[in-house]
Structure formats: structure tokens, C-alpha cells
Amino acid sequence: MALEHAILVSLLEKPGSGYELARRFERSIGYFWTATHQQIYRVLKRMEGDGWIDVREVPQQGRPDKKEYSVAGPGRAALSGWLHEPIEPESVRHDLAVKIRGAAFDDPAALIREVERHHRAHSDRLAHYLAGELRDFTGPEAPAAPGDAGQELQHVVLRGGIAYERMTIAWLDDVLATLHRLRAGH
């Protein structure tokens, strides 16, 4: 997937400024695709040049006007074409897994801190995802929109992120138990 496709999806969900788009990447699109502010602005400029998006100036009180982006016909066509193309299943490239295997040739216990750090990071991400799910889909403040394809598809992607983090945490628990057992055996 190219960043362009993630931007098109976000702008079809709701037009917005580059800043608003970057915030969405931090808040929800980042569940499955990350990009820096600089990357987003660079790609927006290219997409505008290619005619994929329209830009309008929005006046603001006490601040410079902002640019609001929305998807143009060619951008919608590009997204549709991409949606109909097959993609290959993703391969996992996992540096930590290689380190864990390599620890057999060094001191496996030396990896405990690193694995614990990864465990905390994944636990924090899971907590963030669960809070987002409560806020956006299941809590009392969540918009009630049964049958809304956009909401349902956003939620199923989030549930995938939640399942992935839970699986990763369970695996890291297993790794830690193994490392502690190996340390005790030496």
C-alpha cells in the first residue's frame, strides 16, 4: 500500500487540512499505517499536482487561512483501481525474533530487559487501541450508526489491531518465561 491510498481513504472519510490528516494518522489510521507530518505534506502536494485531490482555502479568525483537502474524481478512480488489485500477503520482518534466536549463541538472559521493553510498548498500544474502541465504537459516547459501512470497517480494522497486540503480548510472555527459565538453569 502506498501512503497515497491511506490518505485517499482518510479524506473520503472526512475532508481536512494537512494538520488534521496528520492527527488522524496519529489517532486512528496509525493503527495500520504510519506516516510523519513531512511525508503527509509531501504526498499531498504530489497528489494535488496529479489531480487526485482538490484544495480549497478556508479562512480562519486570527490565524492564517488553512488548506482543506478533499478527494477529486481521479483520486477516487485511483483508489478504486487499487482496491481491485490483488496484493500479496505481508511477510513478517521481526528483528526481535532474530535477536531471540541469536541469544542461543550468547547470554539469553541479556535479552530480558529488551523483551520487557517490547512488552510495555505493546501493552501501551493495546491500552490505546482499547480506549479508542471504547471512545469510538462501544462506549456511551460512541456514535450509534449500525449499518454504517465506514464505521463497521474502521472497527474491524481496529479489532484486528487489538487481536494482534494481544497475540504479541502473549508471545512476549512466553519469551520472557523461556528466558527466565534458561537463566535459572545456568
Side-chain angles (χ1 to χ4, degrees):
M1 170 170 66
L3 177 55
E4 288 86 345
H5 301 113
I7 288 173
L8 289 169
V9 168
S10 182
L11 291 176
L12 283 167
E13 290 173 349
K14 184 177 180 183
S17 68
Y19 175 78
E20 292 163 344
L21 196 57
R23 295 283 297 151
R24 285 184 223 162
F25 270 76
E26 291 169 3
R27 183 171 174 227
S28 64
I29 294 173
Y31 295 151
F32 56 92
W33 192 265
T34 58
T36 66
H37 288 232
Q38 294 86 354
Q39 290 172 314
I40 291 169
Y41 282 105
R42 189 170 44 249
V43 170
L44 283 170
K45 186 172 182 69
R46 184 171 58 243
M47 292 170 70
E48 180 183 359
D50 292 343
W52 285 18
I53 56 176
D54 291 323
V55 183
R56 73 179 182 98
E57 294 288 328
V58 178
Q60 299 189 103
Q61 291 280 76
R63 291 190 279 175
D65 293 350
K66 71 176 182 177
K67 291 182 176 184
E68 183 178 86
Y69 299 93
S70 61
V71 178
R76 194 176 276 272
L79 181 64
S80 179
W82 178 74
L83 288 172
H84 289 90
E85 291 174 5
I87 57 172
E88 291 300 315
E90 295 175 11
S91 297
V92 175
R93 184 177 162 191
H94 206 295
D95 292 343
L96 183 61
V98 176
K99 278 190 171 200
I100 292 166
R101 286 187 61 172
F105 305 101
D106 194 61
D107 176 13
L111 280 180
I112 290 174
R113 272 199 190 133
E114 180 67 0
V115 174
E116 288 172 341
R117 187 177 69 81
H118 282 256
H119 193 285
R120 282 189 303 276
H122 286 281
S123 295
D124 290 348
R125 190 173 302 146
L126 175 60
H128 176 75
Y129 288 178
L130 291 170
E133 182 181 43
L134 182 63
R135 177 192 65 232
D136 296 339
F137 299 105
T138 59
E141 304 287 321
D148 178 338
Q151 285 285 319
E152 288 188 38
L153 294 173
Q154 286 176 18
H155 194 195
V156 77
V157 169
L158 177 57
R159 289 193 310 266
I162 290 168
Y164 175 80
E165 294 304 328
R166 285 180 171 151
M167 181 273 309
T168 301
I169 291 166
W171 175 67
L172 291 170
D173 286 338
D174 186 22
V175 171
L176 284 169
T178 302
L179 292 173
H180 284 292
R181 188 177 65 253
L182 289 170
R183 181 173 67 182
H186 282 90

